[in-house]
Amino acid sequence: MKQSQGKAEWKEAFVCYLVILIILGAFLGTIAISGELTGTHWISYIRKFEWDINIDLLRQLFLLE
């Protein structure tokens, strides 16, 4: 009995994650497609993305100086 309940919970969790992934994909896909149609190329922004951290600003914000 416990084994079938564990399988049911695993399948339910898998379906939940799958639905969330599909919704997220549709959401981001809509943003990307609308950007391409309006002339804003979001994909090029993602390719050029860098983590550039302004250390001086962080020190000022957290009063580390």
Side-chain angles (χ1 to χ4, degrees):
M1 183 87 174
K2 278 192 165 198
Q3 192 173 20
S4 63
Q5 184 180 7
K7 281 187 175 182
E9 289 176 0
W10 183 84
K11 286 181 184 179
E12 186 177 338
F14 180 75
V15 169
C16 180
Y17 285 121
L18 186 62
V19 169
I20 290 172
L21 183 65
I22 290 170
I23 291 171
L24 182 64
F27 178 71
L28 294 176
T30 302
I31 291 173
I33 291 171
S34 64
E36 290 295 324
L37 292 175
T38 59
T40 306
H41 304 287
W42 295 112
I43 304 300
S44 64
Y45 286 113
I46 293 172
R47 287 188 201 137
K48 296 177 187 175
F49 182 73
E50 294 179 7
W51 287 96
D52 189 20
I53 299 173
N54 189 347
I55 299 297
D56 295 328
L57 178 63
L58 288 176
R59 285 184 182 152
Q60 289 173 359
L61 287 174
F62 295 110
L63 304 172
L64 296 175
E65 287 187 344

